[in-house]
């Protein structure tokens, strides 16, 4: 469907004379008939059972998807005892027994599930798991202002906070922007479709849009893979049709001006790669090279990328993924891309006491040539067990059993598979234009795995229980409520119990109940902890925020009844174990002061102040970024993002964010605003939630200007009337202006009917019309004219 533009132009017809009317205005109408082109639908979801309304809903087409929420499942939409998701409105509810996890089951259009979509669980993210963001003006570095991403929320602004804020395309690093797409065994079984198809709804809009896709693909196929294919087209399953390699309305690109060839399909930089400024880590397995895949269609010329409907993975990036050190181990130490059923075990240390952040990987279980008899065993990573880059010669050294036993007795150590070894993060752009040739206004992103054909067997560690396992072996229970002995107000509290008596089934992750109390007046309550692995003997969970959002000096305590049986098995001894931590501000609290700013657009910039209060122990950092509201980035202000640092013992308690530039214009407009958000406080400090979002109000300094849109207008005397359009250069506030006609060569009563009056603009109105009646006669005469004049505006000035 083409866009049809009609421009109305007056043509003089000399059967009747015309009038030349001065100081009048004409608005030329443009009629645009659009197709399904350019914009993926994004509408707010219905308010869910907890009162939240998610943005970006509606773009992901759920016709071949079932969004499943963990918990008791029911069919009654408003039954709060059941977990449910309404795919028509986006509303959802988690049942009381839910752990707030969810996934999208993506089928082939015929009912066979091909993959799962996974994103951060509530409160970090929310169903359905994928959202659309359009027109994020705060995006930088030449990336698209539109994106397909996870339904995540900013740190310190999660859904259970008092100030939930969604992550957008321009969100900070590690703000959970990528959703995961797990490819299942049905994608490599040779039966029917071999792909996972994600369909997106497109609404009417002229032109096209670029969307960055924030995505990871996971190998859950139960077999090795040698790569993957990404395609765009239409339909799902066997009915899928590729867009065509030269389709100008739907295609993929990987612009080299944004990403280098080694940034397109990568495993975690925490596992492979040189020192990273964002994570402050070296790659655990390879500190030199990233692991991942090249893209065959990638064009290396700066700033260029060939449009295509298909992206193929090509060779690997040359890392040590396939055969990590030690090189003397079996050739299949890892081999081709592992599935989640072939992962090595790792030992992780919770270095910040927060289970919602990534723990530090310290050891892994694989083929170890340093053992007296080479074989499977625990070993360090590329920088040794102490992870000290300055210590030479200790890479991948064997970790003695005694060290593993010591770790097992520490409640902050866990053992789990290293699941990031199956996750590949993708960077690419899909451009969407006119897709109206397809029967439905939709398009499809298709991910297809490529099964490995090398025949390399499973790694030696698959199916082997680590010897020695990470195990809490004492029947004399230990309890820990951390951070300890103090916590910053507003930070998460984690309760942990270690007790071998509770680890009754090594194949099941069991639970235990503890009691939580405080001196703040909160009621004591029972709280359930879950075992950290099927055979760990350590149980943990985070406490509700009500226990951390307390006054300084408040003590929070956890108690656990440890039931011990003595050696003669005749006497049961009960002992209550407790752990207490106190609300403190040793590291300080971070906030805006003030949290509101009023400026004039001609001020040039605005400087916002961030302060650290209540403590100065340790170096702390906090990230900031601008978020548009009625004031739009790059139109009313220039977006900024960055990090502020307060040093250990720093006597300077307040710091300024670099000036945010204001963009002045000549348009009269209402006061507009944008926000600056603080997030991701590090170093032990916490954000004051109520003052972590600063609002900047930009007042206009332009006088309103009112005038006719055009200085002259031609009309035929038999036209009946002529309409003169009066406009002002903004819509803010009210404005009155008088108007009156006057004879020039045309005569009132003979050629036209004189007009006089007042035009009243209401707040939000930008134009008004003056209608003059024309009087027809049978006298032949030349062109005549009259004038209409504006006067006495109640605000601003008259135009030319």
């Amino acid at each position: 469907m083409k866009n049809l533009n009609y421009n109305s132009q007056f043509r003089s017809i000399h059967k009747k004379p015309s009038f030349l009317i001065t100081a009048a205005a004409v608005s030329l109408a443009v009629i645009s008939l659009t197709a399904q082109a350019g914009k993926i639908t994004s509408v707010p979801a219905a308010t869910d059972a907890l009162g939240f309304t998610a943005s970006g809903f509606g773009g992901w087409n759920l016709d071949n998807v079932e969004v499943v929420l963990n918990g008791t499942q029911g069919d009654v939409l408003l039954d709060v005892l059941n977990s449910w998701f309404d795919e028509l409105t986006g509303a959802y509810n988690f049942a009381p027994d839910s752990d707030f996890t969810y996934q999208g089951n993506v089928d082939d259009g015929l009912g066979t599930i091909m993959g799962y979509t996974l994103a951060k669980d509530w409160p970090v993210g929310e169903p359905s798991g994928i959202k659309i963001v359009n027109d994020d003006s705060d995006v930088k570095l030449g990336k698209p202002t539109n994106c397909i991403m996870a339904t995540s929320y900013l740190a310190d602004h999660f859904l259970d906070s008092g100030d939930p804020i969604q992550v957008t395309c321009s969100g900070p690093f590690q703000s959970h922007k990528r959703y995961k797409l797990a490819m299942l065994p049905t994608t490599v079984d040779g039966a029917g479709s071999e792909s996972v198809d994600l369909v997106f709804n497109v609404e009417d809009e002229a032109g096209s849009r670029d969307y960055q896709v924030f995505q990871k693909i996971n190998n859950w196929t139960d077999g090795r893979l040698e790569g993957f294919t990404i395609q765009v087209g239409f339909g799902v399953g066997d009915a899928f049709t590729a867009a065509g390699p030269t389709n100008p309305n739907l295609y993929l690109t990987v612009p080299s001006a944004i990403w280098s060839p080694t940034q397109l399909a990568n495993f975690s930089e925490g596992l492979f790669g040189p020192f990273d400024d964002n994570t402050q880590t070296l790659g655990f397995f390879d500190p030199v090279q990233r692991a991942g895949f090249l893209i065959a269609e990638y064009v290396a010329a700066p700033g260029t990328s060939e449009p295509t409907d298909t992206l193929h993975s090509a060779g690997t990036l040359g890392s040590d993924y396939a055969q990590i050190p030690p090189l003397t181990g079996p050739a299949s130490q890892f081999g081709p891309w592992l599935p989640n059923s072939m992962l090595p075990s790792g030992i992780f240390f919770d270095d910040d006491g927060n289970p919602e952040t990534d723990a530090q990987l310290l050891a892994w279980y694989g083929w170890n040539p340093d053992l007296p008899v080479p074989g499977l065993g625990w070993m360090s990573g590329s920088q040794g067990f102490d992870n000290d880059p300055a210590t030479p010669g200790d890479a991948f050294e064997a970790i003695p059993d005694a060290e593993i036993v010591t770790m097992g007795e520490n409640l902050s150590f866990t053992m789990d598979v290293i699941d990031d070894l199956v996750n590949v993060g993708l960077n690419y752009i899909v451009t969407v234009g006119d897709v109206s040739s397809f029967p439905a206004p939709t398009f499809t992103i298709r991910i297809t795995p490529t099964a490995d054909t090398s025949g390399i067997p499973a790694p030696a560690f698959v199916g082997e229980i680590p010897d020695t396992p990470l195990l809490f072996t004492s029947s004399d229970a230990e309890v820990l409520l951390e951070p300890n002995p103090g916590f910053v107000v507003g930070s998460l509290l984690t309760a942990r119990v270690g007790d071998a008596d509770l680890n009754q089934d090594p194949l099941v992750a069991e639970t235990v109940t503890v009691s939580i109390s405080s001196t703040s007046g909160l009621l004591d309550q029972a709280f359930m902890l879950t075992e950290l692995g099927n055979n760990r003997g350590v149980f943990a969970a985070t406490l509700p925020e009500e226990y951390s959002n307390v006054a300084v000096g408040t003590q929070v305590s956890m108690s656990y009844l440890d039931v011990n049986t003595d050696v003669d098995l005749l006497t049961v001894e009960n002992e209550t174990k407790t752990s207490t931590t106190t609300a403190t501000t040793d590291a300080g609290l971070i906030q805006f002061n003030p949290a509101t700013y009023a400026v004039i657009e001609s001020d040039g910039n605005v400087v916002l102040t961030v302060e650290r209060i209540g403590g100065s122990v340790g170096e702390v950092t906090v990230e900031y970024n601008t978020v548009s509201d009625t004031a739009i980035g790059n139109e009313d202000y220039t977006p900024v993002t960055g990090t502020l640092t307060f040093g250990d013992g720093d006597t300077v308690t307040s710091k300024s964010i670099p000036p945010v530039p204001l963009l002045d214009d000549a348009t009269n407009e209402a006061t507009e605003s944008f926000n600056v958000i603080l997030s991701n406080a590090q170093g032990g400090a916490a954000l004051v939630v109520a003052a972590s979002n600063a609002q900047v109000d930009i007042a206009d300094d332009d006088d309103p200007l009112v005038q006719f849109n055009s200085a002259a207008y031609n009309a035929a005397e038999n036209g009946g009337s002529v309409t003169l359009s009066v406009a002002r250069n903004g819509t803010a506030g009210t404005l009155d202006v008088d108007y009156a006609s006057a004879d020039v060569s045309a005569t009132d009563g003979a050629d036209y009917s004189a007009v006089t009056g007042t035009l009243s603009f209401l707040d939000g109105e930008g134009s008004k019309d003056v209608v003059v009646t024309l009087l027809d006669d049978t006298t032949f005469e030349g062109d005549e004219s009259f004038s209409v004049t504006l006067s006495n505006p109640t605000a601003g000035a008259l135009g030319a």
Side-chain angles (χ1 to χ4, degrees):
M1 186 180 295
K2 297 180 179 178
N3 293 325
L4 304 178
N5 297 323
Y6 297 96
N7 294 328
S8 59
Q9 297 178 342
F10 176 79
R11 292 186 298 172
S12 178
I13 301 175
H14 293 288
K15 290 182 179 178
K16 288 286 185 177
S18 62
F19 299 103
L20 177 63
I21 306 173
T22 61
V26 177
S27 295
L28 300 181
V30 178
I31 301 174
S32 179
L33 303 178
T34 61
Q36 284 80 30
K39 186 177 183 180
I40 303 177
T41 299
S42 176
V43 297
T47 301
D48 58 49
L50 297 172
F52 300 112
T53 302
S55 64
F57 175 75
W60 183 24
N61 185 298
L62 301 177
D63 287 351
N64 69 322
V65 181
E66 181 186 12
V67 179
V68 179
L69 279 59
N70 174 271
T72 305
Q73 298 298 302
D75 298 325
V76 181
L77 182 63
L78 298 179
D79 186 354
V80 296
L81 298 179
N82 295 285
S83 291
W84 50 261
F85 176 82
D86 186 343
E87 68 176 47
L88 297 179
T89 67
Y92 61 88
N93 179 73
F94 285 105
D97 65 343
S98 176
D99 63 359
F100 299 103
T101 61
Y102 60 90
Q103 68 185 41
N105 297 337
V106 185
D107 66 44
D108 62 352
L110 299 175
T112 300
I113 298 177
M114 310 301 292
Y116 300 140
T117 57
L118 306 163
K120 285 293 182 179
D121 299 325
W122 201 98
V124 181
E126 63 182 333
S128 61
I130 299 178
K131 70 183 177 188
I132 307 300
V133 175
N134 290 302
D135 303 315
D136 181 359
S137 59
D138 294 319
V139 169
K140 304 180 75 173
L141 301 176
K143 294 182 179 180
T145 59
N146 317 293
C147 62
I148 304 171
M149 64 180 300
T151 53
S152 50
Y153 284 73
L154 285 172
D156 302 311
H157 299 280
F158 291 156
L159 281 158
D160 59 351
S161 72
D163 184 25
I165 299 177
Q166 289 218 7
V167 177
T168 60
C169 313
S170 58
F173 179 76
Q174 286 190 331
S175 56
H176 314 298
K177 289 187 284 190
R178 295 184 187 273
Y179 66 89
K180 294 181 179 180
L181 181 65
M183 302 173 291
L184 301 182
T186 48
T187 61
V188 292
D189 63 4
S193 174
E194 300 285 274
S195 307
V196 187
D197 295 321
L198 301 180
V199 182
F200 297 92
N201 298 318
V202 181
E203 62 186 76
D204 290 354
E205 182 184 67
S208 64
R209 286 183 182 240
D210 294 336
Y211 286 87
Q212 181 176 355
V213 182
F214 289 103
Q215 178 186 40
K216 290 182 179 180
I217 53 176
N218 300 357
N219 180 4
W220 287 19
T221 68
D222 286 341
R224 297 181 183 276
L225 298 177
E226 62 184 37
F228 57 89
T229 299
I230 308 170
Q231 289 178 285
V232 286
F234 309 99
V236 299
D238 292 336
F240 175 83
T241 302
T246 60
N247 189 325
N249 295 317
L250 184 63
Y251 57 87
L252 301 168
T253 53
V254 282
S256 58
I258 300 178
W259 302 294
S260 72
T262 59
Q263 291 179 294
L264 302 180
N266 303 100
F267 293 95
S268 168
E269 68 271 11
L271 299 181
F272 300 90
F275 183 81
D276 183 83
D277 289 334
N278 290 312
T279 62
Q280 299 291 298
T281 60
L282 287 164
F284 179 82
F285 291 113
D286 187 336
V288 178
Q289 297 192 66
R290 293 298 303 272
F293 298 92
L294 298 170
I295 299 296
E297 286 76 8
Y298 183 83
V299 179
T304 65
S305 182
E306 293 293 335
T308 178
D309 66 350
T310 304
L311 298 176
H312 294 285
S313 63
T316 63
L317 298 177
S319 70
D320 288 328
Y321 178 90
Q323 176 55 56
I324 65 166
L327 295 176
T328 54
S332 59
Q333 182 81 297
F334 280 3
W337 188 1
L338 293 171
N340 64 334
S341 57
M342 296 184 187
L343 291 176
S345 295
I347 293 178
F348 301 84
F349 176 62
D350 188 353
D351 54 347
D352 62 0
N354 181 357
E356 292 186 1
T357 60
D358 292 335
Q360 183 181 9
L361 177 61
L362 295 181
W364 69 287
Y365 194 75
W367 184 269
N368 188 344
D370 291 338
L371 294 174
V373 178
L376 292 173
W378 289 107
M379 70 188 91
S380 65
S382 64
Q383 300 302 310
F385 169 63
D386 57 5
N387 212 27
D388 182 5
T391 304
D394 62 354
F396 297 97
E397 67 177 348
I399 299 178
D401 289 345
E403 290 283 359
I404 303 299
V405 171
T406 300
M407 293 180 190
E409 301 303 327
N410 189 316
L411 303 187
S412 295
F413 283 82
T414 58
M415 184 179 76
D416 205 347
V417 295
I418 309 173
D419 59 5
D420 268 351
L421 286 171
V422 306
N423 302 337
V424 173
L426 301 179
N427 290 324
Y428 64 94
I429 291 171
V430 56
T431 298
V432 187
D434 182 357
V435 298
S436 60
S437 59
F438 188 66
T442 63
F443 74 93
T444 302
I445 297 177
R446 162 170 281 202
I447 306 294
T448 307
T450 305
D452 177 59
T453 57
S454 67
I456 295 176
F461 50 73
V462 174
E464 298 292 330
I465 298 176
D467 182 21
T468 309
L470 191 74
L471 185 65
F472 191 91
T473 60
S474 175
S475 292
D476 186 11
E478 291 186 17
V479 296
L480 176 62
L481 186 59
E482 59 179 349
N484 200 282
F487 67 94
V488 175
V489 173
S491 60
L492 285 174
L493 294 177
T494 302
R496 302 178 190 269
V497 169
D499 190 349
D501 295 333
L502 300 176
N503 188 17
Q504 298 180 2
D505 188 340
L507 302 179
V508 176
E510 295 156 303
T511 61
V512 65
T513 299
V514 300
S515 178
I516 305 297
S517 61
S518 75
T519 59
S520 65
L522 293 171
L523 295 177
D524 297 357
Q525 67 171 291
F527 199 68
M528 182 180 292
L529 313 184
T530 302
E531 191 173 11
L532 300 176
N534 292 349
N535 193 33
R536 176 68 179 98
V538 173
F539 303 74
T542 56
L543 299 187
E545 282 196 339
E546 61 191 87
Y547 286 100
S548 56
N549 291 327
V550 293
V552 173
T554 298
Q555 290 186 330
V556 180
S557 298
M558 172 187 66
S559 61
Y560 163 67
L561 181 61
D562 182 20
V563 179
N564 291 322
T565 303
D566 67 8
V567 292
D568 60 12
L569 301 180
L570 297 177
T571 304
V572 176
E573 300 175 354
N574 297 330
E575 181 182 4
T576 299
K577 302 289 183 69
T578 62
S579 179
T580 299
T581 186
T582 303
T584 182
T585 57
D586 286 346
L589 302 172
I590 306 295
Q591 65 178 13
F592 280 113
N593 189 10
T596 58
Y597 295 80
V599 295
I600 300 173
E601 66 177 359
S602 59
D603 285 347
N605 60 62
V606 58
V607 178
L608 289 81
T609 301
V610 179
E611 65 179 5
R612 180 186 191 184
I613 59 175
S616 61
V617 176
E619 179 181 281
V620 301
T621 61
V622 64
E623 297 177 4
Y624 60 86
N625 64 283
T626 52
V627 177
S628 297
D629 193 356
T630 52
I632 305 301
N634 294 317
E635 292 183 13
D636 303 299
Y637 71 96
T638 300
V640 300
T641 184
T643 303
L644 289 179
T645 301
F646 294 85
D648 181 21
D650 197 341
T651 58
V652 178
T653 60
S654 64
K655 295 182 182 293
S656 297
I657 290 176
V660 181
L662 305 176
L663 304 179
D664 198 359
D665 58 37
T667 301
N668 174 248
E669 53 199 349
T671 297
E672 299 173 313
S673 63
F674 67 92
N675 297 309
V676 184
I677 307 297
L678 297 178
S679 63
N680 197 27
Q682 298 290 319
L687 290 176
V688 178
V689 173
S692 62
N693 182 0
Q695 179 172 309
V696 180
D697 296 321
I698 308 174
D700 183 58
D701 61 354
D702 299 299
D703 289 331
L705 191 68
V706 61
Q707 61 187 355
F708 287 107
N709 275 338
S710 179
Y713 185 78
N714 291 322
E717 70 174 358
N718 64 350
S721 66
V722 62
T723 300
L724 294 67
S725 181
V726 180
R728 55 176 176 163
N729 66 337
T731 61
T734 61
L735 181 147
D736 294 341
V737 64
D738 297 334
Y739 62 89
S741 61
D743 293 350
V744 180
S745 56
T747 303
D748 171 28
D751 300 306
Y752 74 100
S753 295
V755 294
T756 184
T758 300
L759 296 177
S760 295
F761 291 83
L762 300 177
D763 185 32
E765 290 185 327
S767 65
K768 290 283 186 179
D769 292 333
V770 175
V771 179
V772 182
T773 300
L774 303 179
L775 303 178
D776 195 4
D777 59 36
T778 58
T779 304
F780 181 81
E781 51 197 349
D783 290 348
E784 298 175 310
S785 64
F786 64 88
S787 66
V788 180
T789 305
L790 300 176
S791 62
N792 303 322
T794 57
L798 294 174

